[in-house]
Each structure stands twice: as C-alpha cells, then as structure tokens.
Amino acid sequence: MAVLEARGMSIAFNGFYAVKNVDFALEEGALHAVIGPNGAGKTTLFNLLTKFLQPTEGQIFHRGVEVTKLKPAAVARQGVVRSFQISAVFQALTIRENIELALLRRSGLQWRLLGNARSDKALVARTEEVLEQFGFTREADIAAAELSYGRKRVLELATTVAADPSVLLLDEPMAGLGREDIDRVADLIKTTAKGRTVLLVEHNMQVVSRLAERITVMVRGQILAEGPYSEVSSRADVMAAYTGGTH
C-alpha cells in the first residue's frame, strides 16, 4: 500500500498551474527522491502532500484514507512529518534541551515542562540515544547558537527524528552545507530511513544517487519520469530538462 498518494492533483495560482494532474505514490519503507530543475513544482508537490497547500483539483490519501481536506497538524499527528514542522533550532537552548523539547512535543506535553524533563527516565534515556546517534554527546550542554551552520542542520534532523515519525519528508536537507557536512547528513538520513518511509526533495544529484531507491522527475509542474535512479537519470528527456533542451 502507498503511504502517501496523490490522484489527479493540481494547484493553480492566478490561472498558472504549479502542479498539474499529478499521480504520485510513496510506497511503504521507500527512500524516494523528487528531483527536477528550478521551478519544476517539487516544493509545491511537497507542500500539497503535507497539506500546507490545498489542491485546486484531485485527492490525497494517507494509507488509503483520504486526507485532502485535513489541516497540516492533523496529518502530522498521523506520523507524516516534514522537517521544518518540528525541527526549529532554539538558539538559546542547549542541544540537549532542543532534543528534550522535541520529545516533549511528541508526547503531547507542554514546553513549560522542559525544566522537569530529566525526572522522566524514559525521556532521559531517549535523549541520550539521539545525542549519541547524531554525534552530540560531548557538546550536549552548549547552546545551539554556538554550533556551525552545518551542525545546526544536523541538530534539526536530530529533533525531527526524536519525534519518531513513520513518514519523514525532507525538503532540500543539503542546502547550504559544505562537503564534510553533506557526507555526514547523508549518512544520517540513510540510517534514519531504516524502518521508515522517507521522501526528499534534493538538488544534489550525488546525494540522490547515493540515497534514493526511486526517483520522480518533475518538469513544469508535471511528472516527466519515475523509476530507479540508474534508469531514469540517463534518459534523454531527463537530461534535456536539466540542460535546457527541448523537453
């Protein structure tokens, strides 16, 4: 069964279709990437699937149940989480506190309980697991503001994973990262994907080829191609779309 599915989905802004008549399915347990040139409609598709935009036409389903008219928070409560919804780094809080806060939100508890979080043994244990997984054990008690940009992005991913989503959607997780950070974040995404369904929008094709089991290529708001990276990336029409050819 598809975890997320769009059927005949379109959205128009002032008569211009940013996404037009798209059928898309994200399969259970997949690590699926959406790629395409600038303006292809990738982020719009992403926003539609997570209900930050309402389609003009078509339907959206989560595990076979229609969610077209649901609000983003309602979809997130079903375990479909895009990184920016829960991954804001609070600069004045420590790394540990950022992760504790993400865990409290997962439990439906209020942020004002943060000071008492360490009295919860299960929460403390899970915090330590996340700190170790993302390489923050030694610097757990420094303020997030002291981290480099790349390490802040890693912390954002850590707080997202702390919420334990079943479906994780990442919008350009490598944007602005240096080579060393890209390699680390790619490794973390690969590890994080185990036991989850992951959809990512990404411009870095080396990362896509390394991570994605299946890719969808979008051009001018429509799906041009879909399938394994090795097959799709070598297609003439896909190459033309990236190089400004006729397709």
Side-chain angles (χ1 to χ4, degrees):
M1 176 185 291
V3 175
L4 280 179
E5 184 178 5
R7 300 177 189 171
M9 188 170 64
S10 301
I11 187 168
F13 301 100
N14 298 320
F16 170 77
Y17 279 93
V19 168
K20 187 173 183 180
N21 196 30
V22 164
D23 293 325
F24 175 83
L26 176 63
E27 299 296 332
E28 182 84 52
L31 204 169
H32 191 135
V34 178
I35 67 172
N38 290 333
K42 304 182 299 295
T43 295
T44 302
L45 173 66
F46 207 83
N47 287 334
L48 287 164
L49 290 172
T50 52
K51 303 313 321 300
F52 279 77
L53 289 173
Q54 183 67 22
T56 308
E57 304 164 22
Q59 298 169 292
I60 302 168
F61 297 84
H62 173 234
R63 301 189 187 280
V65 177
E66 187 173 0
V67 296
T68 310
K69 297 187 182 301
L70 292 186
K71 299 294 185 183
V75 176
R77 283 194 294 271
Q78 295 180 16
V80 180
V81 177
R82 59 179 299 168
S83 54
F84 75 76
Q85 287 179 252
I86 59 172
S87 65
V89 169
F90 292 91
Q91 305 279 357
L93 297 181
T94 67
I95 296 168
R96 184 189 305 278
E97 288 169 339
N98 269 276
I99 294 171
E100 288 172 343
L101 184 56
L103 289 168
L104 285 170
R105 281 184 286 189
R106 171 194 170 190
S107 303
L109 300 176
Q110 298 297 318
W111 67 269
R112 60 185 173 80
L113 298 176
L114 184 59
N116 299 320
R118 282 161 217 167
S119 64
D120 185 326
K121 292 183 179 180
L123 188 143
V124 169
R126 178 59 180 149
T127 299
E128 292 301 326
E129 288 176 4
V130 175
L131 287 169
E132 182 177 0
Q133 180 182 358
F134 290 88
F136 284 119
T137 300
R138 292 185 179 181
E139 50 191 346
D141 296 310
I142 71 169
E146 297 182 33
L147 295 174
S148 66
Y149 176 76
R151 292 293 284 161
K152 285 178 183 175
R153 294 296 297 271
V154 174
L155 179 56
E156 288 174 356
L157 183 59
T159 59
T160 302
V161 171
D164 199 24
S166 60
V167 184
L168 178 61
L169 298 100
L170 302 172
D171 194 359
E172 298 193 33
M174 306 301 168
L177 298 184
R179 179 57 187 270
E180 182 176 336
D181 287 324
I182 286 174
D183 290 342
R184 178 173 181 80
V185 172
D187 286 341
L188 289 171
I189 291 173
K190 192 169 185 177
T191 300
T192 299
K194 294 176 181 177
R196 292 187 176 88
T197 303
V198 178
L199 178 67
L200 65 98
V201 169
E202 182 55 53
H203 280 297
N204 188 316
M205 298 309 295
Q206 288 185 332
V207 169
V208 171
S209 65
R210 176 178 170 185
L211 293 179
E213 299 152 358
R214 187 172 183 84
I215 64 172
T216 296
V217 184
M218 292 192 69
V219 176
R220 294 190 292 274
Q222 296 180 298
I223 292 178
L224 175 64
E226 190 169 273
Y229 179 88
S230 58
E231 296 178 11
V232 173
S233 62
S234 60
R235 281 178 43 165
D237 53 354
V238 172
M239 296 175 69
Y242 272 92
T243 58
T246 57
H247 291 276

